[in-house]
Amino acid sequence: MSLPTSANVVIIGGGVAGCSIAYHLTKLGIRDVVLLERRQLTCGTTWHAAGLVGQLRATRNLTELAKYTADLYHSLEAETGQATGFRQNGSISVAKTHARFEELKRGVSMGRMFGLDMTVLTPGEIRERWPLLKVDDLVGGIWIPKDGQTNPIDTTQALAKGAKMGGAKIFENTKVERIRVERGRATGVETAEGFMKADTVILAGGMWSRDFAAAAGVAVPLHAAEHFYIVTEPLAGLPTGLPVLRVQDECAYYKEDAGKLLMGCFEPVAKPWGMKGISEEFCFDTLPEDHEHFEPILTDAINRVPILADAGIALFFNGPESFTPDDRYYIGETPEVRDLFVATGFNSVGIAASGGVGKVVAQWVVDRKPPMDLADVDIRRVIPFQANRKYLHDRTVETLGLLYAMHWPYYQYKTARGARKSVLHDRLIAAGACMGETAGWERPNWYGEPGSTPKYEYSYGRQNWFDACRQESLAVRDGVALFDQASFAKFIVQGRDACRILNFMSTSNIDVEIGRVVYTQWLNDAAGIEADLTITRTGAQEFLVVTSAVCQTRDLAWLRRAIEADSSAHCFVTDVTAGIAMLGVMGPKSRDLLQALSGADLSNQGHPFGWSRELEIGYAKVRASRITYVGELGWELYVSAEFIADVFDRIVEAGKAFGLKHAGYHTMGACRVEKGYRHWGHDIADEDTPLESGLGFTVAWDKADGFRGRDALVAQRGLKVLPKRLVQVALSGDPEKSPLLYHEEPILRDGVIVGSIKSGAFGHRVGRSLGIGYVHFDEGVTADWLASGRWEVEVACERYPAEVQFQAWYDPKNARIKADAI
């Protein structure tokens, strides 16, 4: 079969992900699909995968994708006639500590929201299912009967056969030299046999993806690491059909296969590999054994499964796997190049993920939009610097082990830190800041005593910064607090058509007076929220767009593509995130402090809410915008970076007279949950509309030229009631005994699960454990329906009474924000 000169879709890479995408594309009727593999199918990392098919993941949507994978593998052999080796023998995860047991039980509660069959086990019940296991030091565990294991090579071959049955063409020993990019679009691939034109190119190149993408101007941050497992000789007395076993507290997993036991690990300190590049000749290769590195894991394993003490080792395996900086894989269309998609960086869960990944990537390619909320794994979350080799090497030392480490709330990475710093970094440290990391930025999450070195002590309950957050929150409520917000992304949009383009992108009216600050959303055609941000008109043809740090790449790409869509538009965007610092001065004494510093009139008459103006502090001009994300009177200050240190010092010095207190992002998060302020990626995303999420007040329905997504939103407005609504949740009872809510806890009405928590925090201004989440009712979510139900939230398999309402728990009428005096 000769290589075609063109195809509708070209897939680079013949691992399990590439073959799954090809298979699912043909299921959608896309038959002109060509998959190109440089050597043989599975020869990179797929072939040596352990083949575990686990379904429970960190979020609901990722768990649903893994659940689909298990269902697919269950039927794939019957469909294709190709054996897969899939066995649905279940899995057991065990806990040595109460904290791990809570983590597992929180996962059980999440899984119940969509019918994932899971059971909590006692140590005795664990022993019944895994009789060779030492259980005397275990607290408990969970059992997932529809988990299992599969043969990675055979499963990939089955997907490939299914793809070919659907019309796809697969070429082995066909190396892709590069992706051709013309005018910002992928137009095909260059091979040794010539150029192949394509409407869509999908990069599923595993550990080669970073370098391959970089040649096309695309950031795909991943790095290979050594991954170890052993396979014993046949063991007498080893039961067949044992469930897959995970002992995460010992970094180990176990799989029975043909009378042998495979034991692998995700050790806390990993060994990055391939720093000098990965050879093109790499094909079914292994890496050198390292018994010393593996020995601590093996010692614990022999204690846990005593039969291993006398077992012979038939295979000591070491092979590479690729890992990403946040342990989540990448899928979707790249922000830098249109029509170029990726599916890569699977962090050792490629076998379990690839069925669902193939399905959603294929649908994404066909529809040119994600079929569900995939923000957790969307390639647009990447910040370009993260593709730096040194950064990836250093972070990979940690990320491999994090797969089995405790998944603590608010966990902060330890490696590859200090990449992006505010000009004020050293001043914040001196003030007692405990730094966290978001999108590479070092940010003050909370403050200890000045001069101290505060550190996290993690738990699922009240962590050691709980009281610091309370003090900071009360300062926001009663006095004045100072936030460093340098990490917020900032774009300047200029040109004759800037207003027209931004106005069509936004739900709100952007064609306002110079100096107005507009809170708005950007929607897709289905009225799903693609971005949640503020836009300030700073001139007749100039605007300042401000969004969150994690949305910097995504929102900038959305904006640039809106400009590109109008080929004649006179509109230009500049990312000024690094050049403009940002401070938040918040609280009832913020007006007095800023007036004393600037001499400006900041009264309601002189500076109303929702307006921005320039004022002077020291030697600097400062843009002061009266807006808040914490629900108090306050101003966001935008200062050119070279002046920010002086402005900061003057605010701190003058603030002494007003009891100024430094505050961090944990306090900002707690305050915004009290106020019901949405956070993109948690409470709102591209499958939620402004009406469902209670943001209809931002919509300017009658703008002359409308806005993107308007037709879909008008149709939704025509419904008498909505079956899905965002609500505010507060746990009832003694706040001291209430658990903390984080994400994905089920919300129940009259004993039936009707929704889930998307964000949670303890609200110190109201003294309650709070959450924000969606609830569903086919006949309509109304205030009466909320008031007439008995509400609970399930946390780690226990139910707690709750109150549910639409309005915020703190200052729902915004009286404090808009007050002339408090």
Side-chain angles (χ1 to χ4, degrees):
M1 182 169 59
S2 60
L3 196 65
T5 58
S6 66
N8 186 272
V9 179
V10 171
I11 301 169
I12 304 170
V16 66
C19 291
S20 178
I21 294 167
Y23 168 87
H24 284 91
L25 282 168
T26 64
K27 291 293 183 183
L28 295 174
I30 309 300
R31 306 193 184 281
D32 185 16
V33 176
V34 174
L35 185 148
L36 304 177
E37 165 55 47
R38 66 184 182 91
R39 295 287 182 178
Q40 295 172 256
L41 297 184
T42 78
C43 73
T45 58
T46 294
W47 72 275
H48 62 69
L52 309 186
V53 185
Q55 300 173 81
L56 185 60
R57 293 289 177 262
T59 66
R60 172 176 179 165
N61 283 348
L62 296 187
T63 301
E64 289 201 69
L65 295 186
K67 183 175 183 289
Y68 169 82
T69 298
D71 294 340
L72 172 66
Y73 291 171
H74 182 73
S75 61
L76 191 59
E77 182 173 333
E79 177 190 348
T80 64
Q82 165 70 47
T84 63
F86 179 67
R87 290 164 45 193
Q88 209 158 31
N89 48 325
S91 77
I92 295 173
S93 296
V94 303
K96 292 176 64 177
T97 67
H98 291 285
R100 176 73 72 178
F101 198 30
E102 176 165 358
E103 177 183 308
L104 294 176
K105 289 189 292 184
R106 281 176 176 262
V108 171
S109 291
M110 179 183 70
R112 286 174 177 168
M113 291 189 292
F114 44 96
L116 184 58
D117 188 7
M118 291 187 285
T119 304
V120 177
L121 301 178
T122 66
E125 292 168 330
I126 294 169
R127 183 66 181 263
E128 290 175 6
R129 288 175 167 83
W130 234 92
L132 302 178
L133 193 68
K134 179 186 174 183
V135 301
D136 58 345
D137 61 342
L138 299 182
V139 177
I142 62 171
W143 158 247
I144 307 179
K146 291 189 177 181
D147 276 0
Q149 60 195 66
T150 197
N151 182 302
I153 294 177
D154 290 346
T155 301
T156 303
Q157 292 290 353
L159 289 166
K161 184 176 181 180
K164 288 187 283 189
M165 290 166 59
K169 299 179 179 66
I170 295 178
F171 293 85
E172 295 180 292
N173 298 303
T174 304
K175 179 186 174 184
V176 175
E177 303 285 352
R178 69 180 181 91
I179 300 166
R180 184 183 289 185
V181 178
E182 299 175 0
R183 296 182 179 179
R185 292 181 178 270
T187 58
V189 297
E190 302 280 1
T191 75
E193 299 181 34
F195 175 65
M196 182 185 300
K197 186 179 183 297
D199 299 320
T200 303
V201 177
I202 303 175
L203 176 58
M207 58 187 175
W208 288 271
S209 296
R210 177 207 173 274
D211 292 348
F212 215 95
V218 172
V220 179
L222 53 80
H223 199 294
E226 299 182 30
H227 181 52
F228 301 87
Y229 60 75
I230 61 168
V231 180
T232 69
E233 293 177 346
L235 293 173
L238 183 68
T240 60
L242 280 175
V244 170
L245 173 68
R246 295 178 178 86
V247 188
Q248 294 167 314
D249 294 315
E250 295 170 352
C251 312
Y253 60 86
Y254 302 79
K255 181 185 80 167
E256 180 276 325
D257 198 1
K260 304 174 183 179
L261 196 62
L262 179 151
M263 190 278 287
C265 70
F266 293 102
E267 67 276 19
V269 180
K271 296 181 67 179
W273 177 80
M275 283 69 76
K276 296 181 180 179
I278 302 171
S279 169
E280 294 181 4
E281 305 303 315
F282 195 95
C283 179
F284 297 113
D285 291 19
T286 62
L287 304 180
E289 298 177 2
D290 188 339
H291 294 272
E292 183 178 352
H293 186 78
F294 191 72
E295 184 178 6
I297 306 296
L298 183 58
T299 299
D300 286 341
I302 291 171
N303 177 67
R304 183 62 53 198
V305 184
I307 194 175
L308 287 174
D310 300 317
I313 297 178
L315 173 66
F316 188 109
F317 184 85
N318 181 12
E321 298 270 5
S322 61
F323 292 83
T324 66
D326 60 5
D327 265 340
R328 290 175 282 155
Y329 50 84
Y330 301 129
I331 59 175
E333 189 177 23
T334 67
E336 299 95 336
V337 177
R338 300 204 75 157
D339 303 326
L340 174 59
F341 285 70
V342 295
T344 191
F346 285 101
N347 306 284
S348 279
V349 299
I351 302 301
S354 287
V357 164
K359 178 183 178 182
V360 296
V361 170
Q363 194 69 59
W364 200 335
V365 167
V366 171
D367 296 339
R368 282 307 195 262
K369 62 180 182 180
M372 58 193 293
D373 174 16
L374 294 167
D376 280 344
V377 289
D378 193 325
I379 185 65
R380 290 176 292 175
R381 75 182 187 275
V382 165
I383 307 299
F385 90 90
Q386 292 175 315
N388 174 280
R389 291 182 186 275
K390 175 63 174 171
Y391 173 86
L392 288 170
H393 169 275
D394 293 351
R395 176 58 62 84
T396 301
V397 170
E398 178 181 14
T399 50
L400 181 147
L402 290 179
L403 291 173
Y404 274 18
M406 283 294 301
H407 300 95
W408 295 116
Y410 304 105
Y411 176 79
Q412 303 298 321
Y413 293 106
K414 299 175 182 177
T415 56
R417 293 292 297 269
R420 307 172 82 184
K421 294 180 180 178
S422 161
V423 173
L424 304 173
H425 181 81
D426 292 346
R427 285 171 166 81
L428 303 177
I429 293 293
C434 184
M435 289 293 181
E437 184 257 351
T438 296
W441 279 98
E442 295 293 315
R443 313 197 308 180
N445 279 347
W446 55 282
Y447 286 83
E449 292 300 316
S452 67
T453 307
K455 296 181 179 179
Y456 278 89
E457 296 173 11
Y458 295 111
S459 77
Y460 274 96
R462 299 181 175 188
Q463 297 186 10
N464 65 315
W465 47 266
F466 184 87
D467 189 59
C469 183
R470 182 184 68 83
Q471 293 180 39
E472 293 171 19
S473 296
L474 297 184
V476 171
R477 184 191 70 185
D478 300 330
V480 58
L482 181 62
F483 295 87
D484 176 66
Q485 298 176 238
S487 64
F488 276 54
K490 312 161 201 82
F491 317 131
I492 290 178
V493 185
Q494 298 167 300
R496 291 189 303 273
D497 297 311
C499 183
R500 175 174 61 80
I501 287 176
L502 286 174
N503 216 19
F504 184 73
M505 292 177 68
S506 305
T507 55
S508 305
N509 181 26
I510 307 302
D511 191 3
V512 293
E513 296 175 66
I514 295 172
R516 283 298 304 273
V517 183
V518 180
Y519 171 55
T520 190
Q521 288 78 49
W522 292 344
L523 309 183
N524 54 40
D525 292 333
I529 299 171
E530 294 285 348
D532 180 71
L533 36 73
T534 63
I535 300 176
T536 303
R537 189 163 200 169
T538 55
Q541 298 181 5
E542 183 178 277
F543 298 82
L544 175 65
V545 177
V546 181
T547 188
S548 68
V550 294
C551 291
Q552 181 175 359
T553 297
R554 179 191 182 95
D555 291 356
L556 184 59
W558 191 262
L559 174 55
R560 283 177 170 162
R561 289 189 175 178
I563 296 171
E564 291 166 5
D566 188 338
S567 58
S568 63
H570 184 267
C571 184
F572 312 93
V573 57
T574 306
D575 186 341
V576 295
T577 301
I580 298 181
M582 180 177 171
L583 296 172
V585 182
M586 299 289 159
K589 296 181 181 179
S590 59
R591 174 184 281 122
D592 294 337
L593 170 57
L594 291 176
Q595 284 186 154
L597 275 168
S598 67
D601 177 7
L602 301 182
S603 67
N604 278 354
Q605 295 72 33
H607 195 155
F609 179 77
W611 283 80
S612 181
R613 59 179 289 198
E614 288 189 339
L615 48 82
E616 294 180 356
I617 295 179
Y619 303 134
K621 279 191 175 181
V622 175
R623 175 165 293 282
S625 298
R626 187 175 167 189
I627 195 168
T628 179
Y629 197 49
V630 296
E632 299 287 354
L633 174 70
W635 279 261
E636 291 179 350
L637 306 181
Y638 299 87
V639 188
S640 184
E642 70 265 35
F643 291 104
I644 187 61
D646 181 61
V647 170
F648 176 86
D649 289 344
R650 291 175 186 273
I651 291 174
V652 170
E653 180 60 30
K656 294 176 182 178
F658 299 92
L660 177 74
K661 188 171 184 62
H662 292 281
Y665 278 85
H666 290 337
T667 292
M668 184 176 290
C671 290
R672 74 102 182 160
V673 170
E674 287 178 304
K675 281 292 294 177
Y677 290 155
R678 285 62 165 160
H679 186 280
W680 197 93
H682 289 89
D683 317 304
I684 50 178
D686 56 9
E687 60 181 3
D688 308 310
T689 74
L691 296 182
E692 293 168 338
S693 56
L695 296 173
F697 66 89
T698 72
V699 180
W701 296 97
D702 300 323
K703 284 194 292 184
D705 296 322
F707 54 89
R708 185 172 181 180
R710 183 183 185 279
D711 290 346
L713 201 60
V714 167
Q716 190 177 66
R717 185 173 65 159
L719 301 175
K720 291 183 178 180
V721 289
L722 296 177
K724 167 188 167 186
R725 292 288 301 275
L726 192 72
V727 295
Q728 312 299 318
V729 181
L731 296 187
S732 306
D734 184 355
E736 296 298 318
K737 298 179 180 179
S738 295
L740 300 181
L741 305 180
Y742 297 111
H743 69 101
E744 304 292 8
E745 294 90 351
I747 302 172
L748 301 95
R749 182 183 185 272
D750 297 337
V752 177
I753 295 174
V754 294
S756 64
I757 299 294
K758 296 303 180 183
S759 294
F762 191 90
H764 294 281
R765 293 178 297 187
V766 298
R768 303 181 72 176
S769 185
L770 306 177
I772 301 173
Y774 286 96
V775 294
H776 304 255
F777 181 50
D778 288 343
E779 296 179 23
V781 177
T782 64
D784 288 343
W785 183 74
L786 296 182
S788 62
R790 176 177 58 86
W791 293 94
E792 298 169 295
V793 177
E794 183 174 312
V795 182
C797 300
E798 295 187 27
R799 296 180 179 181
Y800 297 85
E803 298 173 51
V804 178
Q805 62 186 33
F806 288 130
Q807 67 180 17
W809 296 104
Y810 182 73
D811 189 26
K813 296 183 178 180
N814 296 325
R816 296 179 64 85
I817 295 171
K818 298 180 179 181
D820 205 20
I822 297 175

